[in-house]
């Protein structure tokens, strides 16, 4: 399970105003919408909740979901997939047999309705013979902050999660993914002037070659690509140290490859990915000089003297494939949730540092000082 070992990709959501009785009835709610196996029925798909600690446990006999201050469970999705070539072949065989049958009855053709019935029968027969493929996506809910993390960056899985979460906890307000724009609104709070500036953002020109008719105009687009470009600029100019809080200090150690740059006009997007030796960065400078902006980086951070890294990309800025510091476990440690809590501490530390860097960017981006910063980035781009 990624949260317990290996690299981690978690999409962050937020909920507000959770009624107290939600947590009191948590187990019953999860069981009500628990995963239903489809091994013995010809269904294409089934999804529902299951135990975080035992992915086959849909009654929470192995452990409870509470891991204070978190709640942890998993979304399980089982899917049957019939290869298109197999389905086509079996349909032809069944239709051929049907044609032979009606010829014996003196008929010349199979009706459209009968063809539909044959296709459905073939599909059901093949589904019954196909073993479902399971997939599991971890869910961690921080009950104090209202943050919820989902172990997937797939829009389809995100939509499935939001829909099922809404049915499980109908009295909770809308759950929403924290996009760059949503995060920016949270940072700016009640500063109406700054929010007005945020909503009126126009793309910055870091090259002098940017065509005003060929730039992205969505706020999430602008924030994500300009933040990533700004982070690359900071990493290469030594302005890479941040004091996030009294407990967290962070340094951008590197913006590693593969590094992606793109040109997006709001409709079509052209992406160039740079891999290889340091000398290939000339492709990055050339692309940026032509008006492209950074859209994906491997961000390497030193946080409180420990190494962290994650893939960060346009337009959602989700921390993908995050690598956390190694944990040295005592073999005699009998706390079953100890590893989970330590890993979540590291993950939240990574996000806190990332949020601190993003906070600095947002406040700068909506201030008058951005003109000076944007010109410095432009000079830096053109100097290469």
């Amino acid at each position: 399970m990624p949260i317990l070992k290996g690299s981690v990709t978690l999409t962050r959501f937020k909920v507000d105003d959770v009624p107290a009785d939600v947590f009191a009835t948590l187990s019953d709610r999860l069981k009500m919408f628990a995963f239903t196996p489809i091994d013995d029925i010809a269904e294409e798909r089934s999804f529902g909740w299951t135990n975080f600690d035992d992915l086959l446990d849909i009654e929470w006999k192995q452990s409870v979901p509470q891991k204070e201050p978190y709640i942890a469970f998993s979304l399980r999705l089982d899917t049957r997939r019939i290869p298109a070539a197999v389905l086509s072949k079996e349909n032809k065989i069944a239709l051929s047999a049907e044609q032979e049958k009606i010829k014996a009855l003196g008929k010349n053709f199979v009706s459209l309705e009968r063809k539909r019935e044959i296709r459905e029968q073939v599909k059901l027969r093949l589904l019954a013979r196909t073993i479902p493929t399971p997939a599991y996506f971890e869910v961690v809910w921080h009950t104090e902050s209202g943050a919820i993390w989902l172990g997937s960056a797939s829009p389809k899985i995100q939509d499935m999660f939001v829909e099922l979460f809404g049915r499980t906890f109908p009295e909770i307000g809308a759950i929403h993914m924290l996009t760059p724009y949503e995060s920016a609104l949270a940072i700016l709070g009640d500063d109406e002037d700054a929010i007005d500036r945020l909503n009126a953002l126009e793309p910055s020109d870091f090259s002098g070659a940017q065509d005003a008719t060929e730039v992205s105009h969505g706020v999430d687009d602008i924030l994500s690509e300009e933040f990533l470009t700004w982070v690359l600029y900071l990493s290469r100019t030594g302005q890479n140290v941040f004091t996030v809080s009294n407990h967290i200090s962070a340094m951008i150690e590197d913006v590693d490859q593969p590094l992606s740059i793109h040109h997006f006009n709001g409709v079509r997007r052209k992406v160039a990915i740079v891999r290889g030796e340091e000398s290939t960065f000339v492709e990055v400078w050339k692309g940026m000089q032509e008006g492209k902006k950074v859209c994906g980086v491997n961000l390497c951070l030193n946080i409180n003297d420990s190494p962290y890294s994650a893939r960060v990309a346009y337009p959602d800025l989700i921390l993908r494939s995050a690598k956390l510091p190694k944990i040295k476990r005592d073999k005699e440690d009998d706390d079953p949730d100890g590893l989970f809590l330590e890993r979540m501490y590291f993950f939240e530390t990574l996000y806190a540092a990332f949020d601190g860097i993003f906070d600095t960017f947002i406040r700068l981006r909506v201030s008058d000082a951005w003109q000076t910063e944007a010109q410095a980035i432009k000079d830096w781009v053109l100097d290469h």
Side-chain angles (χ1 to χ4, degrees):
M1 299 175 70
I3 285 182
L4 298 183
K5 61 181 180 180
S7 59
V8 188
T9 296
L10 297 178
T11 300
R12 186 167 48 165
F13 293 81
K14 189 84 163 80
V15 292
D16 302 304
D17 302 323
V18 180
D21 66 334
V22 165
F23 300 126
T25 59
L26 179 71
S27 293
D28 292 335
R29 291 166 180 267
L30 294 176
K31 290 175 184 177
M32 186 180 300
F33 293 93
F35 173 79
T36 301
I38 56 173
D39 299 78
D40 300 323
I41 56 176
E43 292 289 338
E44 287 188 79
R45 189 181 76 165
S46 177
F47 63 93
W49 309 127
T50 187
N51 194 323
F52 180 91
D53 298 306
D54 183 349
L55 300 175
L56 300 179
D57 179 10
I58 55 177
E59 297 182 356
W60 280 263
K61 294 180 179 180
Q62 176 72 21
S63 61
V64 296
Q66 290 86 353
K67 301 178 186 291
E68 298 298 338
Y70 305 98
I71 293 169
F73 48 99
S74 291
L75 171 63
R76 176 175 172 180
L77 168 65
D78 276 22
T79 309
R80 282 189 172 96
R81 291 186 176 87
I82 305 170
V86 173
L87 185 59
S88 177
K89 181 197 77 172
E90 294 297 322
N91 275 331
K92 288 180 180 179
I93 292 173
L95 185 57
S96 234
E98 183 69 12
Q99 288 171 335
E100 291 297 324
K101 191 183 298 183
I102 66 169
K103 280 182 182 178
L105 298 175
K107 297 181 180 180
N108 296 322
F109 63 92
V110 181
S111 69
L112 289 176
E113 183 178 352
R114 180 56 182 156
K115 286 181 180 179
R116 282 194 291 268
E117 289 177 359
I118 291 171
R119 283 196 296 269
E120 187 62 27
Q121 290 169 0
V122 168
K123 185 176 181 180
L124 289 173
R125 176 167 53 83
L126 292 175
L127 284 173
R129 292 163 49 187
T130 304
I131 298 175
T133 300
Y136 304 93
F137 310 96
E138 297 153 317
V139 179
V140 179
W141 184 352
H142 193 292
T143 58
E144 296 173 1
S145 68
I148 301 176
W149 290 277
L150 169 68
S152 175
S154 163
K156 290 183 179 179
I157 301 302
Q158 292 166 356
D159 291 344
M160 181 185 298
F161 165 71
V162 169
E163 186 271 330
L164 183 58
F165 190 93
R167 286 196 285 127
T168 308
F169 306 102
E171 64 274 66
I172 294 179
I175 177 174
H176 54 274
M177 188 175 81
L178 283 181
T179 63
Y181 177 70
E182 292 275 358
S183 298
L185 288 178
I187 290 168
L188 299 176
D190 297 327
D191 189 338
E192 294 184 4
D193 180 60
I195 291 174
D196 288 342
R197 291 190 179 199
L198 176 70
N199 291 326
L201 283 187
E202 291 292 336
S204 303
D205 186 353
F206 298 140
S207 66
Q210 183 168 284
D211 186 336
T213 65
E214 296 183 352
V215 293
S216 55
H217 295 289
V219 176
D220 276 325
D221 297 325
I222 295 171
L223 292 179
S224 59
E225 66 184 13
E226 293 191 8
F227 171 72
L228 294 172
T229 303
W230 178 73
V231 164
L232 177 62
Y233 164 72
L234 294 184
S235 72
R236 296 284 162 151
T237 57
Q239 306 171 65
N240 56 344
V241 178
F242 296 82
T243 300
V244 177
S245 68
N246 292 332
H247 307 290
I248 298 177
S249 60
M251 179 173 67
I252 303 173
E253 286 202 324
D254 197 6
V255 173
D256 204 0
Q257 300 181 51
L259 192 147
S260 305
I261 57 176
H262 78 161
H263 179 277
F264 180 50
N265 63 6
V267 180
R268 298 182 62 185
R269 182 169 174 245
K270 297 179 181 179
V271 182
I273 301 176
V274 177
R275 295 183 176 90
E277 299 298 327
E278 181 69 18
S279 60
T280 61
F281 260 75
V282 295
E283 298 175 34
V284 175
W285 312 134
K286 182 178 179 181
M288 294 176 71
Q289 288 163 8
E290 293 172 350
K292 291 184 172 68
K293 292 176 181 174
V294 180
C295 63
V297 301
N298 282 347
L299 182 61
C300 302
L301 299 174
N302 183 301
I303 306 172
N304 296 343
D305 297 322
S306 294
Y308 293 76
S309 67
R311 179 71 181 170
V312 189
Y314 162 100
D316 49 40
L317 299 184
I318 294 172
L319 303 186
R320 292 170 166 83
S321 301
K323 295 181 180 179
L324 309 177
K326 293 182 179 179
I327 297 175
K328 294 181 179 179
R329 300 290 293 168
D330 187 342
K331 293 183 179 179
E332 297 181 0
D333 188 350
D334 58 359
D335 181 1
D337 295 331
L339 177 60
F340 167 81
L341 293 174
E342 287 189 67
R343 290 275 290 180
M344 284 306 302
Y345 168 77
F346 284 137
F347 187 80
E348 290 211 65
T349 298
L350 170 59
Y351 247 118
F354 180 81
D355 287 346
I357 297 171
F358 189 70
D359 183 297
T360 301
F361 166 76
I362 289 299
R363 295 183 188 281
L364 177 62
R365 185 62 180 84
V366 297
S367 72
D368 293 335
W370 179 252
Q371 286 186 325
T372 302
E373 188 80 351
Q375 183 61 50
I377 297 173
K378 182 176 180 180
D379 293 342
W380 169 73
V381 169
L382 296 178
D383 281 345
H384 286 82

